[in-house]
Amino acid sequence: MATIALFHSVLGLRPVELGAAERLRRAGHEVVAPDLYAGAVATTLDEGFGLLDRVGWDTVVERARRALVGLPEETVLAGVSMGTGVVGDLWPERPATAGVLLLHAAAELPATARPGLRAQLHAADPDAFAPPERVTALRHAAHAAGVALEVYRYPGAGHFYTDPDLPDHDPEAAELTWRRVRDFLASL
């Protein structure tokens, strides 16, 4: 089974990430879900971006980096929305990662991504945080680097479709996402 570092959205560490971590633990994985905002949470994207501004991106990434200390080099990097940006910043420092999960937003592929690495992107369609041009660029970069990227789009779902506490929630798309994530992790 995998060791997974799950990085939260701009809203902070909330029940959706804690529930996802628990779901993955029940599947046999070891999961760390660090609180990158030190307890602060938001209820709207505007509040979340305000929190991010107050905490600062460098602090967020440094907290994420510290959460990885002592974890195996093969730890799967997983991010929810803003967390995909955290994954993108840490990925170059973790070349042995067993896999990458991008949920609700696309990240840039680092130049150091190793051939054969497996990655998944799960995003609503349409989604402002995974626009077609960014997803296309990610696909091209993955192909050029030899990264095995799977892209799953969920038409008609809202941005945070896996979060049962938000209006974007789409139960069918959320369950399909978690089945695909489970299968992905089992195959690493």
Side-chain angles (χ1 to χ4, degrees), residues 7 57 61 77-79 82-93 100-102 106-112:
F7 302 109
W57 185 253
V61 173
L77 301 176
M82 176 200 77
T84 67
V86 174
V87 168
D89 277 10
L90 296 177
W91 191 347
E93 301 169 14
V100 172
L101 285 168
L102 307 171
E108 289 189 30
L109 190 82
T112 57

Side-chain angles (χ1 to χ4, degrees), residues 48-137:
F49 284 111
L51 274 174
L52 177 58
D53 287 344
R54 282 193 295 283
V55 172
W57 185 253
D58 290 342
T59 298
V60 164
V61 173
E62 184 53 36
R63 288 174 177 168
R65 187 176 286 117
R66 283 195 312 260
L68 294 172
V69 171
L71 295 180
E73 289 299 313
E74 301 81 22
T75 296
V76 172
L77 301 176
V80 177
S81 197
M82 176 200 77
T84 67
V86 174
V87 168
D89 277 10
L90 296 177
W91 191 347
E93 301 169 14
R94 308 284 294 189
T97 185
V100 172
L101 285 168
L102 307 171
L103 303 163
H104 304 292
E108 289 189 30
L109 190 82
T112 57
R114 75 173 185 284
L117 177 68
R118 297 200 44 227
Q120 280 189 343
L121 167 64
H122 298 268
D125 185 15
D127 191 320
F129 297 99
E133 61 277 5
R134 190 179 307 165
V135 174
T136 298

Side-chain angles (χ1 to χ4, degrees), residues 3-4 10 15 28 49 70 88 92 97 99 106-107 119 124 128 137 141 156 176:
T3 300
I4 303 160
V10 75
F49 284 111
T97 185
L176 181 55

